[in-house]
Amino acid sequence: MSVITKVPEPNLWEEICKEFTHQKPPFTPDDDAASVTTDYSDYDPSRHNPVFYGKMFAPVRTDEDATGEFDAADSHPSCVGFTFTEKPPKAASPPPPLPPNKNTCTPTEYLNHYVFPWLLPALEAMLKQAKLEKCFERRRTKFNACDFITEHLYRHNPNSKSDGRADIELWDIPFVKEWLKDHPRPPLPMSLIWTDEEAALIIQSFWRGYLVRRDPEVQELRCWQREWREENRGIQHRVSEFWEKQMPDGDQPTPNASEQQIDQLKPEEPSVVIKSPVPTSE
């Protein structure tokens, strides 16, 4: 019985990585032990012998004992049984080939010459920034990889002639402004905006406030404030009712009401009777 299977479609990125791996020379771990070909700036005393360092050498097998003709005045004892030769000069790197015509080249050539030389450095910078933002340690962060790549590519555009792109922010890019006008983004939650230090400071402040609020005296004060607010709730309505009773005709005050109230409030003046000290005769 035949079984129908579905072959997965080839991934372009995996094919490019595979081709790049095949282009590398097949180095083996024993190559560095056979001959020291590193530069002098890469010298490591834990890995390299100072006598052999910077030279090309190979062991030589002889029928006779090589130590019999050894002279310590001419060479080092560790050189016995080895032959040395100078390193050949480095060949000049050939000039890079001219890029193919972008209008007639294949998709692979277009990606290799016009896309990946600018996209791969942007991806590398994005991964470094993601590590600083601790994206590999947390499930949710404020770091947006697409935003970072967009800003990086806009800053390092080789075809741009403007000088103000080096320090431009994502939100100041013209096409980003136009896009956000029609597609505004919701604000980020504060849990993603705060740093660890700011979040720790806010949590500690809330905890200290809780310790103060749970104090019995503070609880008593808060209960009194709550009762006072309940008693004074709707005070404006009660004031309006009071003035409606005092002025039943609306905004028109009662005639002579102020004068009557003033007369009622005035104290009565005592009557004064003046009598003569000497009685008068009729």
Side-chain angles (χ1 to χ4, degrees):
M1 179 179 179
S2 62
V3 179
I4 301 176
T5 59
K6 184 179 180 181
V7 179
E9 297 181 359
N11 191 343
L12 180 60
W13 177 257
E14 293 180 356
E15 291 182 359
I16 294 173
C17 294
K18 190 181 297 183
E19 292 178 2
F20 182 74
T21 304
H22 291 322
Q23 291 176 0
K24 292 183 178 181
F27 293 114
T28 59
D30 298 335
D31 290 341
D32 193 28
S35 178
V36 178
T37 58
T38 55
D39 296 331
Y40 289 96
S41 58
D42 299 332
Y43 174 73
D44 185 2
S46 62
R47 297 174 55 245
H48 302 140
N49 188 339
V51 178
F52 292 78
Y53 184 73
K55 299 179 181 180
M56 299 184 67
F57 59 91
V60 178
R61 295 181 180 180
T62 58
D63 297 335
E64 299 179 359
D65 187 9
T67 58
E69 299 179 358
F70 171 73
D71 186 2
D74 296 334
S75 62
H76 195 272
S78 60
C79 298
V80 176
F82 290 90
T83 179
F84 293 86
T85 181
E86 296 295 333
K87 295 176 61 176
K90 292 184 179 180
S93 58
L98 295 176
N101 188 357
K102 63 175 62 176
N103 298 323
T104 59
C105 64
T106 62
T108 303
E109 292 176 344
Y110 186 86
L111 291 174
N112 290 334
H113 292 86
Y114 296 102
V115 177
F116 289 129
W118 311 108
L119 181 59
L120 294 181
L123 291 175
E124 182 180 0
M126 182 269 294
L127 292 175
K128 292 180 180 179
Q129 185 64 27
K131 184 176 181 180
L132 296 178
E133 297 288 344
K134 300 181 179 180
C135 295
F136 307 112
E137 303 175 7
R138 302 175 180 175
R139 186 182 298 272
R140 298 172 64 246
T141 59
K142 65 178 180 180
F143 181 73
N144 191 320
C146 294
D147 291 349
F148 182 88
I149 292 176
T150 302
E151 181 179 328
H152 187 277
L153 293 177
Y154 186 82
R155 288 182 176 181
H156 299 84
N157 187 358
N159 298 326
S160 174
K161 298 181 181 179
S162 60
D163 298 334
R165 289 196 174 194
D167 301 328
I168 193 171
E169 299 293 338
L170 175 69
W171 316 113
D172 298 331
I173 299 176
F175 67 86
V176 175
K177 288 183 178 180
E178 295 297 330
W179 173 263
L180 293 178
K181 286 181 181 179
D182 301 329
H183 307 83
R185 292 185 178 181
L188 292 175
M190 301 305 296
S191 60
L192 299 181
I193 298 177
W194 290 335
T195 61
D196 294 344
E197 293 76 11
E198 293 173 344
L201 183 63
I202 293 173
I203 294 173
Q204 293 173 2
S205 176
F206 179 82
W207 176 251
R208 288 194 296 267
Y210 168 74
L211 295 179
V212 172
R213 290 190 296 271
R214 65 178 293 188
D215 187 81
E217 296 182 356
V218 177
Q219 289 286 342
E220 183 179 357
L221 176 62
R222 296 181 66 188
C223 292
W224 175 83
Q225 291 177 342
R226 189 183 309 110
E227 295 175 357
W228 184 85
R229 285 193 297 269
E230 292 292 337
E231 292 178 357
N232 292 275
R233 180 174 297 177
I235 187 65
Q236 295 181 354
H237 180 67
R238 283 189 279 176
V239 170
S240 301
E241 291 180 352
F242 170 77
W243 285 112
E244 287 177 358
K245 293 179 181 180
Q246 296 295 327
M247 296 185 296
D249 296 338
D251 296 337
Q252 298 289 336
T254 305
N256 300 331
S258 60
E259 297 179 359
Q260 294 177 3
Q261 293 177 357
I262 291 174
D263 294 340
Q264 292 177 1
L265 294 176
K266 282 184 178 180
E268 296 181 358
E269 297 181 358
S271 58
V272 178
V273 178
I274 301 175
K275 293 183 178 181
S276 177
V278 181
T280 58
S281 57
E282 297 179 354

